Amino acid sequence: MSGAEAFLSIDLPALLAALLAALACALPGNFLVLRRQALMGDAMSHVVLPGIVCAYLLAGDILPVAMVAGALGAALLAVALIHLLQRLGGLEPGAAMGVVLTLMFAAGLVLLEQSGASGAHLDVEHALYGNLEGTLWLGPRQWADLLDPASYRSLPRVLGTLALVAAAMVVLAVLFFKELAVTTFDPGFAAGLGISSRAISLGLLGMTALAAVAAFEAVGSIIVIAMFVCPAATARMFTDRLSRQLWLSALFALLAGAGGYWLAAFLPPLLGHPQALNAAGMVGVAAGGMQCAAMLLAPRYGVLPRAWRARWRRRAGTSPEQGRAG
């Protein structure tokens, strides 16, 4: 197998899966972070597991429509259980969410082990760490084949699903940008405009569940959590404008996907190690690394620039309040 054929068959599909999964999770993640509901992405990545397994058992195969339906059903059940625990048990929202996501994820793992679903690439390891390395595209053998429509007949199913979901996330974020923004920052004003905050919140929940289930097979539940939070939180360090934050988060998500895959696949051989690293794990590491770098170096909110400005003000003999007034 030539170098070009190996890249097109092995590296390119895995890289595309990482990019699309990161993008699909990052866009709804912005609104979760701003609403202080970042744990909802964590919850969705856990609670969809029993829904996916049940959908597989009922359908007898991994069908995208069945998987999405099962995940959405599990998400709605989780929301109902969280509200039930809050109302009847008097638990705080975070505690109720932690109980439900732990219970449902454990139930999903038990179903995986006891139902035989692991024969369809649904097992505990893939549920946790994903299967980026197993995303193979055996159609193109050279770069020119990418222009041949026949090559796309063998496109991995997970890539088609992720592409559709990522496109849907972009379209929904653009179409409902005003409603999402208003209900996020001022629910009272939204109610005055006739915008139902409850309906928009349920829609955001649906977007989150859809992105989680689409990315679940490729990158696993643990990395889905990172992609919901890190790109959005990184972008937030650079801007106060929501529209700019959305596009920055998409950029950081793509950088995390590409950079993480490169670190996993190509860095170990350069350092003399024959074994590659887990690609999905390195995507999460790259996303977390960018978040840490932004916290330190972001021009306005980074720790180091803020410390430098405070030091400069002290040397100039002005207080922070005087500096802001000026």
Side-chain angles (χ1 to χ4, degrees), residues 9 13 18 32 63 67 109 154 164 167 171 245 254 281 322:
S9 299
L32 296 177
L63 303 177
M67 297 296 104
L109 292 179
S154 59
L164 289 175
V171 171
Q245 178 180 324
L254 295 177
Q322 290 173 326

Side-chain angles (χ1 to χ4, degrees), residues 7-317:
F7 179 82
L8 292 172
S9 299
I10 300 174
D11 293 314
L12 180 61
L15 177 60
L16 290 176
L19 293 175
L20 292 170
L23 179 62
C25 293
L27 292 177
N30 284 279
F31 300 100
L32 296 177
V33 169
L34 291 172
R35 290 169 180 240
R36 301 182 185 275
Q37 295 177 344
L39 188 60
M40 185 62 71
D42 186 2
M44 288 300 102
S45 66
H46 284 75
V47 303
V48 297
L49 180 58
I52 291 173
V53 177
C54 290
Y56 168 76
L57 295 176
L58 291 174
D61 198 0
I62 300 179
L63 303 177
V65 175
M67 297 296 104
V68 171
L72 290 176
L76 293 176
L77 175 61
V79 172
L81 290 175
I82 290 170
H83 285 296
L84 186 64
L85 287 176
Q86 288 181 245
R87 180 174 300 177
L88 299 181
L91 295 179
E92 295 182 354
M97 193 178 298
V99 170
V100 171
L101 71 88
T102 303
L103 177 64
M104 294 190 67
F105 189 63
L109 292 179
V110 172
L111 281 173
L112 275 178
E113 291 299 310
Q114 300 298 322
S115 64
S118 58
H121 299 292
L122 282 174
D123 55 34
V124 174
E125 182 179 355
H126 290 162
L128 294 175
Y129 307 118
N131 190 30
L132 275 178
E133 293 82 357
T135 307
L136 304 177
W137 187 8
L138 302 180
R141 296 181 178 275
Q142 53 188 349
W143 291 103
D145 291 341
L146 295 178
L147 302 177
D148 183 6
S151 298
Y152 292 89
R153 296 174 184 171
S154 59
L155 188 73
R157 175 188 53 80
V158 67
L159 280 182
T161 302
L162 283 171
L164 289 175
V165 171
M169 293 299 110
V170 173
V171 171
L172 290 172
V174 172
L175 290 179
F176 295 97
F177 176 80
K178 180 185 73 174
E179 290 81 1
L180 286 166
V182 173
T183 56
T184 295
F185 293 112
D186 196 340
F189 181 62
L193 294 177
I195 301 174
S196 173
S197 296
R198 183 176 181 83
I200 297 299
S201 296
L202 289 175
L204 179 59
L205 173 65
M207 291 174 63
T208 304
L210 183 61
V213 69
F216 184 87
E217 182 180 356
V219 298
S221 65
I222 293 177
I223 311 307
V224 168
I225 301 167
M227 300 319 298
F228 271 122
V229 177
C230 289
T234 302
R236 179 66 184 88
M237 300 295 296
F238 288 91
T239 182
D240 290 326
R241 293 185 58 184
L242 179 57
S243 58
R244 186 177 299 168
Q245 178 180 324
L246 285 175
W247 298 118
L248 281 175
S249 69
L251 173 62
F252 289 132
L254 295 177
L255 288 175
Y261 186 82
W262 185 89
L263 289 173
F266 303 113
L267 183 60
L270 292 177
L271 298 177
H273 296 281
Q275 299 294 329
L277 300 173
N278 180 273
M282 288 307 298
V283 171
V285 170
M290 287 192 295
Q291 172 65 43
C292 292
M295 292 171 64
L296 289 174
L297 303 173
R300 183 171 181 181
Y301 295 113
V303 172
L304 296 181
R306 291 175 63 183
W308 183 87
R309 287 195 296 269
R311 182 178 180 182
W312 181 84
R313 291 191 187 102
R314 287 195 298 268
R315 286 188 173 183

